[in-house]
Amino acid sequence: MANIEILLDPSLVKARQRRSFSLAEKMKILDRMAKGQSATKIARDYNVNESTIRHMRKQEATIRLAANSMTSKVASGSKRNRNLQMSKMEACLTTWLDDIRAKRLPVWHGKVKSKALQLYDLIGKHELFESVGFAASTGWFERFKRKYDLFELRPHEERPPPSEVEFKTTMKSALTDGHITPGQIFTVETSMFHWKLLPGVDTQEKAMMLFSCDASGNFFTPPILFRDKSEPATNSVYVKLEKPESITKQDLRDWFYDIFVSKAESFLKASNLPDRAIVLVANDPNHPTDLEHYSFDVATIPPGCNPTCLPTARGILLHFNAVYLKHLSLAMKEIVKKGIPFEEAWENFSIEDTTAILKSTVADLDKRALRNGWSYLLDTPKQDFSNDPILQETVSILQSIGVNDISVRDLREQITPRELTNEEVVEFFMKHQKELEESNFGEPAEATHHELDELDPVERRMLFNEINQHLAALASARKFFEAKDKNKPRSEAISKRLKQVSIWMREMRTEITPTDPDDKIPMDIKIEPLEIEMEIEQLDSD
């Protein structure tokens, strides 16, 4: 009887009534009902009252209309059928921010608010929405920032935040005190890279690039390209991802341990430097925070500094792109010499052909440009250097093979990252909206329920109890960091991540909760009371 009382505890029933669903979850529920599954079965799977599921069916038209206007990232977090213009604006705004991050362009609070207003108005004109007031208020921005973990945004354009001043002082002190040399300071970076792009030529191809360099200018790893291909890796070209727009945390983690560590250790040994070094990693949501190695102290650039403090954003990438264009033009010239027209050579040029070009590019990099990239962070003097002679040489090479409509100005604009215009952002969102919807509301997520349905009842209860134990540990960890960590930005970031893990675990627990009193579970296997539930909810509300 004690077990039955726990199962019917009023607090559990109350918790069910407070359960809220994202639009993505509502879409999955509606799809299950469309396939003939009963509201009773679905309510049991989600541990909610049956009336909640039936109410969703009544609101099906509104829910589908709201969800179909949103990207998967927005829909998975949204709990209400919001103003569609607002939802599309936020989806476009995250697309713009992702592009800004990939190009390592500066962005600050006021710039995001201004862009939100511009995109909101443009979407309203584009789709003839009825005008609804939107002022990009501080309250909206704070909610938007928390929703997407935008802790790295700097508050002001020109005024460096205290964390940046402190970080620069620490790095400068490490050099001036003699504890470390420029050859022992590395950065690990990702960036969007146009491996097949020339002004005036239609074919354009890009990929994400992963590489590392040091502050002395003597170390630069051959870039690894992540691209939409299935061929095996060859030398410096690493073909892996289904989507070229992103590099996952695991991708960077694998590269760090499998490639960077060995190359950096060999460099330190050959340079007669101690086997201790600092590795700077950008404060990026796609970068892991658990990189550890006995020879390398991995430091994440503090929130608010990114990308201002990044050496790659201060000229290294511009120089790399300029040198790559020169060697790409030289490769095209060699092919044309064999009697192949430029148009045909360009059309047949593939990502695998970049291997030799990337090697020659790295070998031809100017150390002055690499050292200049670190001058802001380390407060070292800049050396006289310009990419214009390299670009002028590239123009001459292209003209020698009949490509005459390219100037130094064209090439300079190409190697300089630029923001997407408002029209380009909205066009990209509209173009990929259907793909994003399908990726969010497709069949794979449904398969998870079938796998959970196959759990043995005893395994279901044991897993339920284990999740409760982990939730208690997460709640304890959050309280510890909030009370003990004096670094407030770090404490907030850790708390945010632990909260997200807690949300996922509670969703998992809901999916496997044993709710049937007649499931014939042995009496000696108990479901522990959810005494930590109120504690977690209090933490979330804070």
Side-chain angles (χ1 to χ4, degrees):
M1 294 300 292
N3 284 341
I4 294 178
E5 289 176 1
I6 291 174
L7 284 171
L8 300 180
D9 190 288
S11 64
L12 290 181
V13 177
K14 186 176 182 181
R16 287 185 199 162
Q17 293 173 339
R18 288 197 301 268
R19 171 70 191 270
S20 59
F21 293 88
S22 68
L23 289 179
E25 290 175 315
K26 292 178 182 179
M27 286 289 287
K28 294 172 186 176
I29 290 172
L30 291 174
D31 289 342
R32 292 179 66 176
M33 285 192 284
K35 294 177 180 179
Q37 294 190 28
S38 67
T40 303
K41 170 71 168 80
I42 298 174
R44 183 175 301 171
D45 289 344
Y46 282 92
N47 192 28
V48 295
N49 293 326
E50 187 176 339
S51 60
T52 301
I53 304 300
R54 296 190 184 280
H55 180 71
M56 288 185 197
R57 183 158 54 190
K58 294 179 181 179
Q59 299 291 323
E60 180 172 4
T62 303
I63 292 172
R64 290 191 182 278
L65 181 62
N68 288 340
S69 70
M70 305 167 72
T71 65
S72 58
K73 189 173 185 179
V74 177
S76 62
S78 179
K79 303 291 185 181
R80 299 182 287 126
N81 305 336
R82 307 175 64 203
N83 167 12
L84 298 187
Q85 187 175 354
M86 175 76 77
S87 299
K88 290 192 173 186
M89 179 277 291
E90 290 190 357
C92 290
L93 189 60
T94 56
T95 298
W96 174 76
L97 279 170
D98 287 343
D99 181 72
I100 287 286
R101 282 171 170 151
K103 296 174 179 176
R104 299 303 182 214
L105 295 173
V107 61
W108 56 95
H109 291 184
K111 189 172 185 177
V112 176
K113 292 181 182 180
S114 176
K115 180 63 67 170
L117 286 170
Q118 297 169 23
L119 292 173
Y120 188 84
D121 291 340
L122 182 60
I123 291 171
K125 295 175 183 178
H126 188 277
E127 301 203 358
L128 302 178
F129 281 112
E130 182 178 350
S131 178
V132 178
F134 172 66
S137 64
T138 300
W140 165 82
F141 177 74
E142 289 301 320
R143 291 190 296 273
F144 179 78
K145 188 170 69 170
R146 288 194 300 269
K147 186 175 182 180
Y148 293 100
D149 290 333
L150 303 179
F151 296 108
E152 83 280 5
L153 295 182
R154 58 189 300 125
H156 308 283
E157 177 180 7
E158 300 296 340
R159 190 192 322 162
S163 58
E164 179 177 318
V165 176
E166 181 181 358
F167 186 70
K168 288 183 60 179
T169 301
T170 302
M171 293 300 299
K172 183 179 179 181
S173 298
L175 284 177
T176 56
D177 294 345
H179 296 155
I180 207 164
T181 66
Q184 293 170 269
I185 304 177
F186 301 86
T187 182
V188 170
E189 253 298 17
T190 59
S191 177
M192 188 66 71
F193 174 60
H194 292 272
W195 59 271
K196 188 176 182 180
L197 176 63
L198 283 174
V201 181
D202 292 337
T203 307
Q204 300 181 9
E205 296 286 353
K206 61 183 179 181
M208 286 299 293
M209 177 172 68
L210 202 162
F211 64 98
S212 177
C213 62
D214 78 326
S216 70
N218 296 314
F219 178 86
F220 198 104
T221 60
I224 307 298
L225 301 186
F226 291 77
R227 182 72 171 87
D228 184 13
K229 294 284 184 179
S230 58
E231 289 82 355
T234 57
N235 296 325
S236 63
V237 179
Y238 187 33
V239 181
K240 180 176 180 181
L241 294 186
E242 294 180 358
K243 293 184 178 180
E245 291 82 5
S246 62
I247 293 178
T248 67
K249 293 181 180 180
Q250 189 58 46
D251 292 324
L252 198 152
R253 193 178 291 114
D254 292 342
W255 176 86
F256 178 83
Y257 290 112
D258 297 342
I259 298 177
F260 168 78
V261 167
S262 61
K263 289 185 177 295
E265 286 182 329
S266 298
F267 168 75
L268 292 173
K269 184 176 181 180
S271 304
N272 293 320
L273 293 173
D275 59 347
R276 298 293 299 176
I278 297 175
V279 180
L280 302 182
V281 181
N283 189 343
D284 191 302
N286 293 324
H287 289 177
T289 57
D290 58 351
L291 298 177
E292 295 181 353
H293 192 272
Y294 61 87
S295 293
F296 301 99
D297 295 326
V298 182
T300 300
I301 293 180
C305 305
N306 193 27
T308 307
C309 283
L310 291 173
T312 49
R314 291 196 164 259
I316 292 179
L317 281 177
L318 290 181
H319 176 59
F320 177 86
N321 289 332
V323 177
Y324 176 82
L325 277 183
K326 184 184 80 171
H327 286 273
L328 174 62
S329 302
L330 287 171
M332 291 294 104
K333 183 176 181 179
E334 291 300 316
I335 297 175
V336 171
K337 280 184 177 179
K338 299 176 181 178
I340 301 175
F342 171 80
E343 292 77 10
E344 182 179 344
W346 184 257
E347 181 179 357
N348 294 330
F349 182 75
S350 67
I351 192 171
E352 287 74 23
D353 297 325
T354 61
T355 302
I357 298 177
L358 286 171
K359 284 186 175 181
S360 59
T361 297
V362 171
D364 197 24
L365 293 176
D366 194 307
K367 294 181 181 180
R368 292 175 300 170
L370 300 182
R371 287 193 285 263
N372 283 347
W374 293 84
S375 61
Y376 174 81
L377 179 60
L378 303 179
D379 198 19
T380 53
K382 294 192 70 171
Q383 297 178 280
D384 184 29
F385 177 80
S386 172
N387 286 311
D388 283 354
I390 301 172
L391 300 180
Q392 183 59 60
E393 184 179 355
T394 303
V395 170
S396 300
I397 295 170
L398 292 172
Q399 288 177 345
S400 69
I401 57 177
V403 184
N404 299 312
D405 297 330
I406 295 180
S407 65
V408 171
R409 179 179 177 180
D410 294 332
L411 295 179
R412 190 185 301 119
E413 290 179 354
Q414 178 176 312
I415 67 172
T416 304
R418 70 170 183 85
E419 293 182 26
L420 294 175
T421 65
N422 296 333
E423 290 74 14
E424 287 173 332
V425 173
V426 174
E427 180 183 357
F428 178 86
F429 170 72
M430 297 301 179
K431 179 180 178 181
H432 295 279
Q433 185 176 1
K434 186 175 181 180
E435 299 174 12
L436 294 169
E437 292 164 8
E438 291 175 351
S439 66
N440 187 40
F441 307 121
E443 291 298 323
E446 185 67 23
T448 305
H449 287 282
H450 295 311
E451 294 172 3
L452 292 172
D453 289 340
E454 296 173 1
L455 280 177
D456 178 86
V458 176
E459 294 177 333
R460 186 180 288 265
R461 275 208 187 177
M462 294 178 68
L463 181 58
F464 184 87
N465 288 339
E466 189 175 352
I467 291 175
N468 280 340
Q469 295 174 12
H470 289 305
L471 283 171
L474 285 171
S476 176
R478 286 174 62 184
K479 290 172 62 179
F480 172 82
F481 280 105
E482 290 174 2
K484 303 295 185 180
D485 194 350
K486 303 303 181 183
N487 186 326
K488 189 169 180 60
R490 180 175 60 197
S491 175
E492 291 177 350
I494 292 173
S495 180
K496 182 76 173 179
R497 284 165 173 76
L498 292 177
K499 177 181 177 181
Q500 183 60 62
V501 174
S502 175
I503 292 172
W504 289 331
M505 293 196 69
R506 293 166 79 184
E507 289 177 354
M508 178 182 176
R509 185 187 63 190
T510 298
E511 293 171 355
I512 58 96
T513 300
T515 59
D516 189 350
D518 300 323
D519 58 7
K520 299 180 180 180
I521 302 295
M523 296 297 289
D524 59 339
I525 298 180
K526 301 178 180 179
I527 298 178
E528 297 294 335
L530 306 183
E531 67 275 357
I532 64 167
E533 206 67 26
M534 294 304 297
E535 183 178 6
I536 294 178
E537 290 184 1
Q538 180 62 41
L539 285 169
D540 290 350
S541 64
D542 293 343

